[in-house]
Amino acid sequence: MAHRIIIIGSGPAGWSAAIYAARAGMEPLLFEGSLSEKNQKNQTLPMGQLMLTTEVENYPGFPHGDLSQYLKSSIHEERFQYMAPHQKAGVSGPELVELMRQQAMNFGTKVIMEDVIKIETSSFQNERIFYIFDSNHQQYEAEAIIVATGARANWLGLPSEEHFKNRGVSACAVCDGALPRFHQRPLAVVGGGDSAMEEAIYLTRFASQVYLIHRRDNFRASKIMTEKVQKNPKITPILSFVVSEVLGNDSDGVTAVRITSVKNEPERILDVSGLFVAIGHTPNTAFLTGTLEMDDKMYIKLIQPGRTFTSQEGIFAAGDCADSIYRQAITSAATGCMAALDAERWLIMQ
Ligand code: NAP
């Protein structure tokens, strides 16, 4: 029998959609994603990008404070035992998304720890059914779908970058910055947006010095973040340069980066023990090619302003997979709620 609604994705959008769908009696089934090697490499593991974030200071409802008792009393002990110790400084990314998951489960959301690899649609006598195929070769049927698969980090695409991934090259300062290999060493961050600023500031906790390399002569990041970077004595911005090669060896990993000027200045070699790539994100929507209309960057197109309808009636989209502008936990959660309400109303009309 077909599920009333299937939700794909386990970040703030997916869990918020699940909370609303479950409370509306739609008994949602949510695909959380798998721990596959491919997902580990792409950093598209279950629970989304909040898993790669330390303190979350801008999610309403979680001011700075000690949440240890609250976390212990609200999250099921089976999962609580695997969580990193609470830092008593407000909510962390992993804690926030774990709380969302628990809330959705409390209302009866069923969770499958697999990736959705394909969706097919069949229409018979005015009844539309979606067939969902997962990474465990199982097939599910749904009357409506909410896609909330988020986005993942982009890479420069250099062979040397690939060669030194996990040996000094990273796309997540929060995940890797505290590793011993980076302790009190010079590091480089590439990018000019808010993520690059955030990564550079975060890395100053561990590094002796951080070079911030950007391909243009002004940053794209917000004024407040740019000012924080400019005021930080440990950060050296290097503008109008691109990283052209990551240098290193098998025993030490990364030892330097070669940077090339876009303004005919001489090439430079920066001695660094790590390169953190922070050059934007790609939505996790490849499995929807041919199913939904997307823009040139693979963000799902929403067909009506302010709503979550996609080009396929009965499929709704929420969160970063359909948002190239805001990409915040709070906006993702909000659109997850909107998608559940849109789906519920659409299902009633069928
Ligand atoms: P972004 O704003 O798209 O910035 C990407 C940066 O990477 C740009 O500066 C871009 O250069 C550079 N870039 C792209 N491809 C490159 C390449 N191949 N080689 C070298 N540089 C390259 O992405 P983001 O920083 O991840 O931010 C995404 C969104 O999340 C933004 O809306 C941002 O405001 C938001 N965000 C907010 C916060 C916060 O509020 N705390 C934190 C993180 C992110 P160009 O500038 O030349 O295009």
Side-chain angles (χ1 to χ4, degrees):
M1 208 180 101
H3 294 272
R4 199 101 171 105
I5 191 152
I6 281 184
I7 299 166
I8 311 170
S10 54
W15 295 122
S16 299
I19 291 165
Y20 273 76
R23 292 192 74 244
M26 291 194 281
E27 299 179 341
L29 181 69
L30 183 145
F31 283 86
E32 189 173 42
S34 76
L35 297 171
S36 68
E37 223 169 87
K38 185 176 159 213
N39 283 347
Q40 291 185 31
K41 190 166 171 247
N42 283 340
Q43 298 189 332
T44 52
L45 288 169
M47 314 285 270
Q49 294 177 87
L50 276 179
M51 291 304 280
L52 312 175
T53 309
T54 48
E55 301 109 84
V56 180
E57 295 184 320
N58 53 8
Y59 199 91
F62 293 93
H64 189 91
D66 182 355
L67 291 170
S68 27
Q69 287 310 312
Y70 175 58
L71 290 164
K72 192 160 193 277
S73 61
S74 39
I75 293 169
H76 197 283
E77 60 185 43
E78 248 176 51
R79 287 184 70 96
F80 183 77
Q81 62 181 325
Y82 296 113
M83 289 174 68
H86 177 57
Q87 295 303 308
K88 303 185 179 176
V91 78
S92 74
E95 288 165 355
L96 181 58
V97 72
E98 192 68 42
L99 286 166
M100 292 177 183
R101 183 186 196 276
Q102 185 68 54
Q103 201 172 350
M105 303 280 289
N106 292 351
F107 290 118
T109 302
K110 298 275 179 295
V111 175
I112 296 189
M113 220 177 156
E114 296 292 341
D115 302 313
V116 169
I117 53 172
K118 191 172 62 167
I119 297 173
E120 280 178 5
T121 312
S122 125
S123 294
F124 181 66
Q125 291 179 342
N126 281 344
E127 272 199 29
R128 183 180 295 123
I129 288 289
F130 297 109
Y131 296 96
I132 289 114
F133 300 85
D134 80 5
S135 45
N136 192 32
H137 313 290
Q138 299 297 306
Q139 183 185 319
Y140 299 82
E141 293 175 16
E143 292 172 33
I145 294 174
I146 294 174
V147 180
T149 44
R152 64 179 183 279
N154 291 340
W155 296 95
L156 296 169
L158 301 168
S160 54
E161 170 194 56
E162 185 63 35
H163 184 75
F164 287 109
K165 264 186 199 169
N166 297 323
R167 288 186 298 157
V169 171
S170 165
C172 180
V174 172
C175 322
D176 300 330
L179 293 175
R181 70 160 66 242
F182 302 128
H183 192 71
Q184 286 306 312
R185 310 302 293 268
L187 303 175
V189 173
V190 59
D194 281 324
S195 300
M197 307 297 124
E198 212 170 55
E199 302 249 311
I201 294 165
Y202 181 77
L203 287 172
T204 58
R205 297 182 192 190
F206 315 103
S208 55
Q209 183 187 7
V210 177
Y211 297 106
L212 178 56
I213 304 157
H214 180 41
R215 63 184 177 183
R216 290 187 298 117
D217 57 10
N218 64 322
F219 290 124
R220 171 184 298 277
S222 56
K223 191 164 173 270
I224 183 165
M225 295 294 278
T226 305
E227 280 172 2
K228 274 190 187 179
V229 158
Q230 285 162 343
K231 278 187 201 150
N232 193 315
K234 274 190 161 183
I235 301 175
T236 308
I238 300 184
L239 299 176
S240 302
F241 272 86
V242 294
V243 174
S244 44
E245 191 180 1
V246 184
L247 305 168
N249 58 57
D250 283 348
S251 57
D252 300 327
V254 174
T255 55
V257 287
R258 187 190 306 280
I259 59 170
T260 308
S261 169
V262 298
K263 292 189 171 171
N264 285 331
E265 284 178 32
E267 180 179 277
R268 292 174 61 184
I269 304 277
L270 301 175
D271 291 332
V272 292
S273 298
L275 173 69
F276 288 80
V277 180
I279 59 168
H281 291 82
T282 298
N284 302 316
T285 53
F287 74 105
L288 294 165
T289 306
T291 305
L292 297 183
E293 278 180 29
M294 291 182 258
D295 70 11
D296 55 343
K297 289 188 171 170
M298 297 289 280
Y299 285 94
I300 297 168
K301 277 191 188 169
L302 299 178
I303 56 162
Q304 204 178 317
R307 305 301 295 268
T308 61
F309 305 122
T310 68
S311 57
Q312 170 65 65
E313 213 184 314
I315 303 185
F316 304 82
D320 289 12
C321 63
D323 172 18
S324 62
I325 299 169
Y326 300 107
R327 295 184 277 194
Q328 302 297 301
I330 182 69
T331 52
S332 290
T335 55
C337 156
M338 289 160 63
L341 294 176
D342 281 344
E344 185 192 356
R345 286 166 194 168
W346 180 81
L347 281 166
I348 289 168
M349 304 295 282
Q350 299 309 299

